[in-house]
Amino acid sequence: MNAGFWTSAIIIFALVVDFIFRVVAIIVVPRNRRPTSATAWLLAINFIPYLGLLVFLLIGSYKLPKARRAKQAQINQFILDQTEGMERVRRDHPWPNWLEQVVHLNRSLGSMPLVGGNSATLITDYQQSFDEMIAAIDAAERYVHVEFYIFTLDPTTAPFFDALERAKNRGVTVRVLLDHIASLRTRGYRKTIKRLTEMGAEWQLMLPIQPFKGRYQRPDLRNHRKLVVIDGEVGFMGSQNIIDAGYDKASNHRRGLQWKELVARLDGPIVSGLNAIFITDWYVETDQLLAREARLVEPTFIAPPREQIDCQLVPSGPGFPHENNLRLFLALLYYAQEQIIITSPYFVPDESMLNALLTAIQRGVRVELFVSEVADQWLVYHAQRSYYEQLLEAGVVIWMYKAPTILHAKHFTIDDEVAVVGSSNMDIRSFQLNSEISLMVRGRHFVAELREVEQSYRDNSRQLTREEWAAQTTVRSTIADNLARLTSALQ
């Protein structure tokens, strides 16, 4: 047999393997995956086959390891048992006729009940949120639970660490959870870990990437939650991380970028639910169930009847079988009767959410969207831009918060009845890859307070018009936007 024969045989063999590889990809990739995501992966695998396959094997699955998902299921059942019959909601003001179904949906997805007797204060000033959290920590008597996506020691956050140390010195138990990769990328990571250890705080990394210790999952599956609980009586949650307002990056400081956030201080029975979220994540990371702290006790604070709001927490993330936050958002979008106002720094909707918004417009519902004029993430910024033309043509009012502020708050309101605040963006990362926490609130005065926040955004924004968008759109920007949109679908 001559060399030509073997060359032909090798080529035929390679073509057969390549063909089989592509057929298998067509069968395997679309399983339990959105059509847009499956299409993006198939395109990547077909155009860059071996690199595409390698990337798919590394990050193709958006589910956590089986052991973590099993722990989440165990703690969900624990929460259901602990909260059986604890709903305390008032019916003196009629509910929207659709709200009961949304409450049931949330309970089925995330196990948490709707509870009444709460009050909430919205904090929009970056430093004020630190000041209020520090004051609450200084009043702690039993425990302080802290959980953040980014948690780092810098001149802005140093007083927060000082408050934790004071609490520990008073005999208060201090526990801290911080996302491994997000915090590792900050300049103060080593100082942060050293400070927590020296003060005697109990701390754990969330979703650590430590393969030599047997701790590994898809690297971009992250815990994006942000919360503080003091004694099960006072809680804080929202969009703000524990870091300087410029995120400790020289490039941000050169551009003058400052993050604008929204944090909610919570008082009342809902704080027990917030604590349950922390206890869940602590258990998943440590195998330690904080049974004493998990016991639901009658709260010492009940808001005056006129100020009471009904609240329901909705945890979500790759540890759950479904996309809890997305399903909540879709339900509310379809039930809206008058107006929908969304604030999301990273707005990259999937097909289902885009259809819900466009359908709302066609039903006569007013839809407004607040985003930032400038961005800190190139890929998400361009993916987000790829939707503007379609949204503007449909009739969505898009507000661009003026530079150099990054509007990082995450919330939306439905009519005058219901609001959602929390850590979740409206993009595929928050729907599938990140562990998030959302708070659904029923209460007209709370929605009215959030409306005032939204009006303050308008006062510092400009409305994007179709004419302006057409004028600034170029072939180059369109290509960048659509490439970013396609890449964002690779989940």
Side-chain angles (χ1 to χ4, degrees):
M1 296 182 186
N2 56 31
F5 171 82
W6 286 112
T7 301
S8 299
I10 292 171
I11 292 172
I12 292 171
F13 177 76
L15 289 173
V16 170
V17 170
D18 185 71
F19 176 76
I20 294 173
F21 164 72
R22 294 174 193 271
V23 171
V24 170
I26 291 172
I27 296 171
V28 172
V29 170
R31 288 182 180 175
N32 300 317
R33 195 178 300 275
R34 286 193 183 90
T36 51
S37 177
T39 301
W41 275 116
L42 288 173
L43 285 172
I45 289 171
N46 276 278
F47 281 107
I48 43 172
Y50 302 110
L51 178 60
L53 174 63
L54 178 62
V55 174
F56 180 78
L57 292 174
L58 285 173
I59 65 171
S61 173
Y62 61 86
K63 291 298 182 184
L64 286 170
K66 188 175 180 180
R68 280 183 174 269
R69 284 181 277 139
K71 287 182 182 180
Q72 182 71 61
Q74 292 171 11
I75 205 75
N76 285 352
Q77 188 58 51
F78 175 79
I79 291 171
L80 280 171
D81 296 340
Q82 288 286 299
T83 58
E84 181 67 32
M86 80 168 281
E87 291 88 349
R88 300 183 184 89
V89 292
R90 301 171 65 213
R91 300 276 184 161
D92 51 346
H93 295 294
W95 285 20
N97 55 16
W98 46 262
L99 185 58
E100 193 96 45
Q101 293 184 358
V102 178
V103 171
H104 180 76
L105 171 71
N106 294 339
R107 181 73 150 153
S108 300
L109 293 171
S111 303
M112 306 297 289
L114 178 76
V115 293
N118 308 287
S119 75
T121 303
L122 296 176
I123 308 168
T124 59
D125 181 78
Y126 204 93
Q127 185 57 49
Q128 184 185 351
S129 64
F130 277 117
D131 294 342
E132 297 213 13
M133 286 188 285
I134 289 168
I137 293 170
D138 281 336
E141 297 179 353
R142 293 182 293 134
Y143 62 82
V144 177
H145 289 164
V146 177
E147 177 175 340
F148 281 90
Y149 174 61
I150 297 175
F151 186 81
T152 191
L153 178 62
D154 62 32
T156 299
T157 64
F160 186 93
F161 282 77
D162 293 341
L164 293 179
E165 186 170 23
R166 289 193 296 270
K168 187 70 181 66
N169 291 339
R170 294 196 307 274
V172 174
T173 299
V174 175
R175 298 185 179 96
V176 177
L177 288 169
L178 60 157
D179 185 83
H180 183 201
I181 298 301
S183 296
L184 180 63
R185 292 184 305 196
T186 64
R187 291 190 297 178
Y189 175 73
R190 293 187 183 279
K191 291 187 297 182
T192 300
I193 298 306
K194 181 180 179 182
R195 182 68 190 279
L196 289 172
T197 303
E198 288 177 347
M199 74 171 68
E202 301 174 45
W203 61 271
Q204 291 289 332
L205 299 173
M206 294 187 292
L207 296 169
I209 305 299
Q210 298 170 324
F212 295 113
K213 296 182 179 181
R215 308 175 77 182
Y216 181 82
Q217 63 282 316
R218 177 173 165 173
D220 58 346
L221 298 182
R222 308 309 329 147
N223 193 315
H224 197 239
R225 294 168 182 159
K226 304 139 175 94
L227 63 93
V228 178
V229 177
I230 295 94
D231 294 339
E233 298 282 348
V234 178
F236 296 85
M237 63 170 291
S239 64
Q240 186 168 329
N241 289 293
I242 303 298
I243 193 170
D244 169 75
Y247 272 55
D248 287 336
K249 291 184 178 180
S251 60
N252 291 341
H253 291 302
R254 283 195 301 270
R255 297 169 64 192
L257 297 184
Q258 293 285 304
W259 269 241
K260 185 169 183 60
E261 311 284 0
L262 181 78
V263 174
R265 172 189 164 127
L266 303 173
D267 295 88
I270 192 61
V271 180
S272 290
L274 197 62
N275 197 42
I277 302 299
F278 178 90
I279 289 169
T280 297
D281 289 334
W282 188 266
Y283 173 66
V284 169
E285 298 299 345
T286 67
D287 291 324
Q288 178 187 5
L289 179 61
L290 305 175
R292 186 176 64 178
E293 288 86 344
R295 274 193 228 106
L296 297 175
V297 296
E298 196 67 27
T300 60
F301 174 89
I302 296 292
R306 198 170 56 134
E307 300 175 10
Q308 287 185 10
I309 55 175
D310 301 327
C311 299
Q312 186 175 29
L313 286 161
V314 182
S316 59
F320 290 88
H322 306 293
E323 297 154 344
N324 300 356
N325 50 357
L326 176 60
R327 296 194 179 198
L328 163 62
F329 297 168
L330 290 176
L332 292 177
L333 293 178
Y334 278 114
Y335 279 127
Q337 302 297 307
E338 298 171 2
Q339 61 180 331
I340 299 165
I341 303 179
I342 297 171
T343 302
S344 180
Y346 312 119
F347 183 80
V348 187
D350 74 340
E351 189 174 358
S352 65
M353 172 161 283
L354 184 62
N355 286 337
L357 287 171
L358 298 181
T359 301
I361 289 283
Q362 292 170 336
R363 291 190 290 112
V365 177
R366 178 178 173 83
V367 178
E368 297 183 48
L369 171 65
F370 287 95
V371 293
S372 296
E373 189 176 53
V374 293
D376 63 311
Q377 298 185 28
W378 185 94
L379 180 65
V380 180
Y381 173 67
H382 281 280
Q384 176 171 288
R385 281 168 48 95
S386 71
Y387 292 91
Y388 287 172
E389 182 176 0
Q390 189 174 4
L391 294 172
L392 288 168
E393 288 182 354
V396 175
V397 178
I398 300 179
W399 298 96
M400 313 286 286
Y401 202 96
K402 294 178 183 177
T405 299
I406 300 290
L407 182 58
H408 194 246
K410 311 158 198 296
H411 54 85
F412 70 102
T413 51
I414 301 295
D415 301 335
D416 294 324
E417 302 285 350
V418 173
V420 176
V421 299
S423 67
S424 182
N425 298 304
M426 288 196 175
D427 68 355
I428 197 69
R429 292 181 304 177
S430 283
F431 297 151
Q432 286 193 342
L433 307 183
N434 292 341
S435 296
E436 306 281 7
I437 182 169
S438 302
L439 178 73
M440 185 180 78
V441 178
R442 171 197 171 255
R444 282 180 169 267
H445 68 276
F446 180 86
V447 176
E449 187 178 352
L450 202 47
R451 288 269 188 266
E452 293 178 7
V453 173
E454 292 163 348
Q455 183 55 50
S456 73
Y457 296 162
R458 287 189 196 92
D459 294 339
N460 291 280
S461 302
R462 61 178 179 82
Q463 184 177 342
L464 180 65
T465 64
R466 292 173 63 181
E467 294 75 20
E468 179 190 352
W469 179 248
Q472 64 178 251
T473 301
T474 64
V475 173
R476 181 178 177 181
S477 67
T478 301
I479 292 173
D481 294 348
N482 289 327
L483 280 175
R485 182 172 179 171
L486 178 62
T487 305
S488 71
L490 292 173
Q491 311 297 346

